[in-house]
């Protein structure tokens, strides 16, 4: 792969680098919250870019009637992960495995949720939570409540790989369509936007079973196993 010049204004180590994109990304960008960087055509362009102030948003400039590579800053108007967005690739990856339940044969039909947060890179559990006795709820509503709580525990912007036992109204949240849980979906979406998180959502019972068994989520949880997420 041809080496290119990259100017990093905000990252683990700001500077101008000439090399392979993957190596530069892993060494100087990945894991850094809200990095700002740009691929440049020449060293002169990189030096000029580094001297200029950081802009407030994305910009496109015209050169020979062709758009120049724009300054890449965190885009907060989209909560769906894309492997074509360099900013998304630079985010810390966290796995969120969550299930929702409801005891429909009991009085008030109480709901519950349990979730597991995992730092995918370090392969360590960050938070194990089991909440029951929720009133006036449903399976989907229980799951959304759990996701809101889990996302609120993440201090920095993350790529959240979410595995659940239902779609919980995710597509309606993206389209901002009305649903029985519109109030919670709106709250969740705003929380994701405010914190700069992006989501990947899938339904996979085999994965849920694997992770819950691995971290003994089907057993009573020991508070001493909790690990603070910083």
């Amino acid at each position: 792969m041809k080496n290119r010049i990259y100017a990093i204004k905000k990252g683990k180590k700001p500077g101008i680098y000439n090399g392979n994109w993957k190596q530069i990304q892993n060494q100087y960008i990945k894991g850094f919250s809200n990095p700002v960087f740009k691929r440049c055509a020449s060293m002169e362009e990189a030096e000029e870019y580094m001297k200029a102030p950081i802009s407030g948003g994305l910009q496109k400039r015209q050169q020979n009637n062709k758009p120049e590579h724009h300054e890449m800053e965190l885009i907060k108007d989209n909560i769906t992960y894309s492997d074509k967005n360099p900013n998304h690739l630079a985010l810390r990856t966290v796995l969120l495995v969550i299930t929702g339940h409801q005891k429909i044969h009991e009085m008030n039909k109480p709901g519950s949720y349990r979730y597991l947060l995992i730092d995918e890179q370090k392969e360590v559990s960050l938070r194990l939570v089991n909440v029951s006795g929720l009133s006036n709820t449903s399976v989907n509503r229980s799951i959304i409540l759990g996701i809101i709580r889990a996302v609120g525990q993440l201090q920095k912007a993350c790529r959240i790989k979410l595995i659940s036992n239902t779609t919980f109204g995710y597509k309606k949240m993206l389209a901002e369509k009305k649903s029985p849980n519109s109030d919670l979906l709106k709250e969740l979406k705003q929380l994701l936007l405010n914190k700069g998180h992006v989501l990947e959502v899938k339904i996979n019972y085999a994965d849920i079973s694997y992770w819950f068994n691995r971290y003994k989520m089907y057993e009573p949880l020991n508070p001493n196993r909790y690990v603070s997420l910083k």
Side-chain angles (χ1 to χ4, degrees):
M1 184 179 292
K2 182 179 178 181
N3 288 345
R4 298 181 183 275
I5 299 173
Y6 295 91
I8 303 175
K9 281 188 179 181
K10 291 177 62 179
K12 293 180 179 178
K13 190 176 180 180
I16 298 173
Y17 301 94
N18 188 337
N20 177 272
W21 161 243
K22 286 293 184 182
Q23 294 176 347
I24 292 174
Q25 179 193 34
N26 290 334
Q27 190 169 356
Y28 302 114
I29 297 174
K30 191 172 183 179
F32 187 89
S33 180
N34 295 10
V36 179
F37 55 97
K38 177 184 177 183
R39 190 178 77 182
C40 302
S42 65
M43 186 61 69
E44 290 75 15
E45 180 185 352
E47 291 174 348
E48 181 180 348
Y49 171 76
M50 292 296 289
K51 294 177 183 177
I54 296 176
S55 64
L58 297 175
Q59 294 182 342
K60 286 187 178 180
R61 300 171 185 170
Q62 298 296 324
Q63 185 177 15
N64 299 326
N65 296 321
K66 294 183 180 181
E68 182 187 32
H69 288 285
H70 58 256
E71 182 172 322
M72 293 177 276
E73 297 180 339
L74 189 63
I75 304 174
K76 292 192 175 182
D77 61 352
N78 193 339
I79 59 173
T80 302
Y81 171 78
S82 171
D83 58 8
K84 295 181 180 179
N85 188 324
N87 300 290
H88 291 183
L89 296 175
L91 294 174
R92 177 187 191 182
T93 301
V94 172
L95 180 65
L96 171 56
V97 186
I98 185 168
T99 59
H101 310 274
Q102 186 178 27
K103 297 180 179 180
I104 59 175
H105 299 298
E106 292 188 11
M107 187 177 297
N108 298 325
K109 300 180 180 180
S112 63
Y113 64 78
R114 61 176 66 198
Y115 67 79
L116 171 63
L117 272 175
I118 303 170
D119 186 312
E120 190 172 71
Q121 184 176 6
K122 297 180 180 178
E123 277 284 339
V124 295
S125 62
L126 303 170
R127 187 72 66 180
L128 312 172
V129 175
N130 191 350
V131 175
S132 60
L134 300 173
S135 59
N136 300 318
T137 188
S138 63
V139 172
N140 282 342
R141 195 167 183 85
S142 297
I143 290 175
I144 301 168
L145 286 168
I147 297 173
I148 290 174
R149 177 172 175 175
V151 171
Q153 293 171 335
L154 298 171
Q155 301 302 313
K156 296 182 180 179
C158 293
R159 167 191 174 187
I160 303 172
K161 298 172 73 172
L162 193 154
I163 303 175
S164 175
N165 59 333
T166 78
T167 57
F168 66 85
Y170 175 68
K171 292 184 178 180
K172 289 186 177 181
M173 178 179 70
L174 295 178
E176 297 184 347
K177 293 184 178 180
K178 289 185 178 181
S179 77
N181 301 312
S182 293
D183 57 332
L184 289 182
L185 290 172
K186 183 178 180 180
E187 180 182 347
L188 173 59
K189 185 175 182 179
Q190 193 58 52
L191 180 62
L192 292 166
L193 290 171
N194 290 343
K195 287 180 170 283
H197 298 305
V198 290
L199 284 180
E200 291 179 81
V201 178
K202 71 174 182 177
I203 310 301
N204 191 312
Y205 292 95
D207 281 356
I208 292 173
S209 180
Y210 168 78
W211 288 110
F212 276 15
N213 279 310
R214 179 171 176 176
Y215 286 94
K216 300 180 180 179
M217 286 293 289
Y218 295 117
E219 301 177 7
L221 297 180
N222 181 352
N224 294 327
R225 292 170 60 203
Y226 286 14
V227 179
S228 296
L229 179 59
K230 298 179 180 179

